[in-house]
Amino acid sequence: MIKQEAKKRIDKLKEEINFHRYQYHVLDKLDMSDAAFDSLKNELEELELRWPDLVTPDSPTQRVGGQALDKFKKITHSEPMLSLNDAFGEEEIKAWVERVQKLAPRAQFSYFCELKLDGLAVALIYEKGALARGATRGDGKVGEDITQNIKTIEAIPLALRIPSESELKKEGFGEHQIKKILSTLKSGAIEVRGEAIMTKRVFEQLNKKYKKEGRPLLANSRNGAAGSLRQLDPKITAERMLSFFTYSVVTDFGLERHEQEHILARALGLPSFNHDSRKKYAQRCANLEEVIKFHAFWAKHRDELPFGCDGVVVVIDDVALRAKLGVVGKAPRWMQAYKFSGEEATTIVEDIILQIGRTGILTPVAVLRPVSVGGVTVSRASLHNEDEIRRLDLKIGDTVIVQRAGDVIPDILRVLSKLRTGKEREFHMPKICPMCGGKVEKRAVSAGKEGKSVGHFCANKNCFAVNRRQLGHFVSKSAMDIEGLGPKIIDQLMKEGLVRDSADIYDLKEGDLTPLARFAAKSAKNVIESIDKSRQAPIARFINALGILHVGEETAIDLADHFGSMEKLSEASEEDLSALANVGPVVAQSIAQWFSEAKNQKLLARLLKAVKIKEPKVSKKKQIFKNMALVLTGELAGLSRDQAKAAIRERGGDVASSVSVKTSLVVAGAEPGSKHDKAKELGVKIIGEEEFLKLLK
Ligand code: IVH
């Protein structure tokens, strides 16, 4: 064969292979056996071997190309990758609809329902139609560049399909939309997002193989997908045979309905649910009854699905409503995850052991005889606290019903006490810590909606486990953000006696680290560099890092804003602390107690020597809201929520999330909700946006 002929044959083969990929992954049509498909790929590979200069980046042979990496590069997302709020049961999904209806009272909603796949969120960026980058969600803002691994997923096209104008017209796209789609395909960037998954069939095949080879098994198909994409060597990812479904088109083509994103994705050669050919997996619903029906159908038939699915995503179809509904926290209001209720199984509680948390709290955990719940084998169930054990009337040796609701750790629903033999044993919380032998104390803890309950704590501040958790928290992203000090390294440092508490971290030298087995000289240097970087810390993160019981990220920000310096915070009385809008008596006591302990005072002094704290800028604004707690409700037209909050804080006020007797003033925008009613009920002063803006002047 001469080169010219080879080129022709190569082009034809590529086209043919891509056509069958499209038939199979996008149109769900099996028109060729795996063996025949492989044989086409083999022929292509052979030709490319003979004429390497005829290899193009979008050739199907280039899916497993690159070398193994040392680590993934970071990618900043074009817009945040959000998450979804969950609704369990009909009541919660109805409540969501009522909430959004209040925000858009005149709108007539229709919904698009699709399956919620259990895999890993992935963003794909195509430039001039060719796959340029793939990224994980990461923290929502910055993800990891997993392009090499993404390319191994056959369901993902290496080059987008170019639909004809008439095809797009037939699919219902308007003239402007079509123009923009085609021109962006040609010369711009297109971003889509979706879920990378491992099908149940692949999961089972792989585990069978791994078992035979004596390799560790994959825990479930979701971990299978997530773990496979985080492999630094793309060859391993390729072996895992992942799949992909698109759920959104991020690039703005002026689409009017969410459903059109799916239609467009498919026209571009990407697998995606849409009501035409995958009728069963997605559906347009005119009202809530239809949504509930769709959910009920899949709750009943989920086992028949080829992939793991933990619920239905309900999307308000009208794209124009998104801006009106907005995003709360990290979740858009215009969509909701309507989850399936957990699956159940029975097993025996073989033991109850204790886990230790960063505040020293001891949590009982049930050791189960391993049992498969919803296709996943579990051996632990959370028990939360001693009260829960009493409530369940649980004894060691009991047969129980366990329920798994998508989480990794299942719950015990109830005890089948009729199956008792008389050999079951009562469980009591220990008087001494099983980890360190220190004394165990009982203390009040707030337990969410149920109010207060009693928790057991290890009183030994030197407890290895306590310190390990504390250190892990101290270095975490929302605290001092020291990269490279993962749990294994912290363990090692503690075992070597190099670090006992957080202040010790700042005494570490590169030479201390290099001899440790896990460190190559380079990474020791990097760790020291990131420790040094953390020596400049914003006060809120520093407060969070201290690991004070009940003080998380949010409370730390409130404390930082209110007190402004560590000196003032450490001198604050319980009463001073209680004056803050979001600080109740239990939290206030915990903070005051922490600063009163000699051991903590010493630690703080050492930390303050090592760390330069960045205090909030002194405000030049008139402190008109000094010592006041304000609550915002409804929509403000003139400024965003964040701007309003900042304006209040700059003027000395606190912003609380709910109305209580401590509230000094409520600022009500358009369509205020229940907070407004509560304020009226409590006789709290309410002002409108206009008056608020006047005050700010
Ligand atoms: S919509 C706002 N549609 O669920 C971001 N997400 O719990 C939601 N997921 O991170 C995107 N199937 O990884 C959407 N059909 C689907 C989905 C889906 C699975 C995942 C996604 C997201 C997570 C949120």
Side-chain angles (χ1 to χ4, degrees), residues 80-86 113-122 137 193-197 245-248 258 262 273 310-313 315 330-332 334-335 337 339:
M81 285 182 83
L82 301 169
S83 55
L84 290 174
N85 281 332
D86 290 336
C113 290
E114 55 195 77
L115 296 182
K116 183 169 188 303
L117 304 182
D118 216 1
L120 189 78
V122 163
R137 177 174 184 275
R193 290 175 185 174
E195 198 83 348
I197 56 160
F245 284 95
T246 314
Y247 51 62
S248 77
H258 171 68
H262 287 280
F273 302 146
D310 56 355
V312 166
V313 177
V315 187
K330 285 182 180 161
W334 65 86
M335 45 167 72
K339 301 289 275 282

Side-chain angles (χ1 to χ4, degrees), residues 161-178:
R161 183 173 169 272
I162 303 174
S164 69
E165 220 175 298
S166 63
E167 180 190 337
L168 290 174
K169 211 167 182 178
K170 234 172 50 217
E171 292 285 14
F173 295 101
E175 211 174 296
H176 283 299
Q177 295 167 341
I178 296 175

Side-chain angles (χ1 to χ4, degrees), residues 369-509:
R369 179 166 298 171
V371 59
S372 169
V373 196
V376 187
T377 302
V378 297
S379 65
R380 295 281 187 277
S382 13
L383 289 168
H384 309 291
N385 52 43
E386 194 173 33
D387 292 350
E388 173 76 353
I389 298 177
R390 299 289 158 255
R391 190 186 69 76
L392 288 165
D393 182 29
L394 175 68
K395 294 182 176 160
I396 297 170
D398 269 334
T399 303
V400 294
I401 300 181
V402 289
Q403 184 189 55
R404 197 178 64 95
D407 297 325
V408 197
I409 300 189
D411 275 320
I412 292 184
L413 268 194
R414 61 192 178 92
V415 172
L416 299 174
S417 47
K418 284 201 198 110
L419 296 181
R420 279 185 180 153
T421 60
K423 285 190 186 150
E424 294 75 17
R425 284 182 292 129
E426 287 261 0
F427 170 80
H428 295 284
M429 289 299 278
K431 300 221 159 38
I432 56 165
C433 169
M435 264 59 79
C436 72
K439 220 174 120 209
V440 171
E441 287 175 357
K442 276 194 195 179
R443 268 185 251 155
V445 289
S446 60
K449 286 180 203 143
E450 287 93 49
K452 271 187 219 162
S453 82
V454 170
H456 290 74
F457 291 79
C458 173
N460 171 16
K461 301 280 158 31
N462 294 317
C463 176
F464 184 90
V466 177
N467 282 350
R468 177 162 64 180
R469 289 284 178 120
Q470 291 268 19
L471 285 168
H473 171 70
F474 185 84
V475 301
S476 67
K477 244 196 149 53
S478 63
M480 301 305 279
D481 191 16
I482 307 180
E483 240 177 86
L485 277 187
K488 285 198 181 127
I489 294 175
I490 288 184
D491 269 9
Q492 185 99 2
L493 291 170
M494 288 180 69
K495 270 192 208 134
E496 298 291 329
L498 283 166
V499 167
R500 280 155 307 154
D501 60 27
S502 48
D504 286 342
I505 292 177
Y506 291 101
D507 291 331
L508 286 173
K509 301 281 171 302

